[in-house]
Amino acid sequence: MSNPTVLILMGSDSDLTTMEETARVLTQFGVPYEMHVSSAHRSPAKTSKLTREAEGRGIQVIIAAAGMAAHLAGVVAAETPLPVIAVPLGGGALNGLDALYAMVQMPGGMPVATMAIGKAGAKNAGLLAVQMLSLSNPEMRTKFVAFKARMAEEVEEKDQALQAARQN
């Protein structure tokens, strides 16, 4: 996309099916993004370069997804003043708990906002990025407020359907 404001990094191409959730959310809100496979362990120079150059290219938020040892978000946070959102990915012997623990245990001074494991976390990473970006974008803020209102309406509709079904 042209003029991306969000950079999505993932440690492996096998993470793409999960991180497509993030891409869908960003697209829904009209947020331009770019996505790369870049590993903290297997391609540290590339990861460092993408991270260090991000702000100068107009990136405002970085979303880093990784599984197992999950060092990607912490490595990224060490290289940039931009906000970093971490998405722990399932798999491995601990089904993503290892990635979650690695991401939420950043040392003081190295903030990383960590989402839930897997697709729900990937979706929420996109939504958190939208919330951050909407602080300086009133149109995006309006879309986000409408999104939340629609969710509440959907819950109410489902409850009304449940109540009607139980009365019959």
Side-chain angles (χ1 to χ4, degrees):
M1 286 188 158
S2 62
N3 302 318
T5 54
V6 174
L7 171 60
I8 302 170
L9 298 175
M10 62 192 102
S12 171
D13 63 343
S14 64
D15 306 333
L16 181 59
T17 56
T18 299
M19 295 314 294
E20 285 174 337
E21 293 295 321
T22 305
R24 270 192 277 287
V25 168
L26 296 175
T27 299
Q28 175 184 351
F29 284 93
V31 176
Y33 66 91
E34 65 181 49
M35 187 180 286
H36 294 274
V37 173
S38 190
S39 169
H41 302 113
R42 294 180 300 273
S43 59
K46 177 182 180 180
T47 300
S48 180
K49 183 176 180 352
L50 283 166
T51 302
R52 283 183 284 110
E53 294 176 354
E55 187 174 22
R57 294 185 305 103
I59 299 295
Q60 296 177 42
V61 179
I62 299 175
I63 300 172
M68 298 172 68
H71 292 126
L72 185 58
V75 167
V76 167
E79 296 268 4
T80 184
L82 296 173
V84 176
I85 304 170
V87 179
L89 299 172
L94 300 178
N95 248 357
L97 283 177
D98 45 356
L100 175 65
Y101 291 153
M103 291 174 173
V104 299
Q105 295 186 87
M106 291 295 109
M110 199 59 52
V112 171
T114 304
M115 302 293 104
I117 297 168
K119 288 188 177 189
K123 180 177 183 177
N124 283 340
L127 290 169
L128 182 57
V130 167
Q131 282 182 292
M132 291 174 171
L133 295 168
S134 74
L135 290 171
S136 61
N137 184 327
E139 182 180 330
M140 191 178 300
R141 172 67 73 177
T142 299
K143 285 182 184 178
F144 188 78
V145 169
F147 168 79
K148 290 190 75 152
R150 276 193 310 276
M151 285 194 308
E153 289 169 7
E154 289 171 4
V155 170
E156 185 57 31
E157 289 168 7
K158 290 175 184 179
D159 183 52
Q160 288 176 6
L162 172 67
Q163 298 311 314
R166 292 186 52 86
Q167 289 177 0
N168 292 334

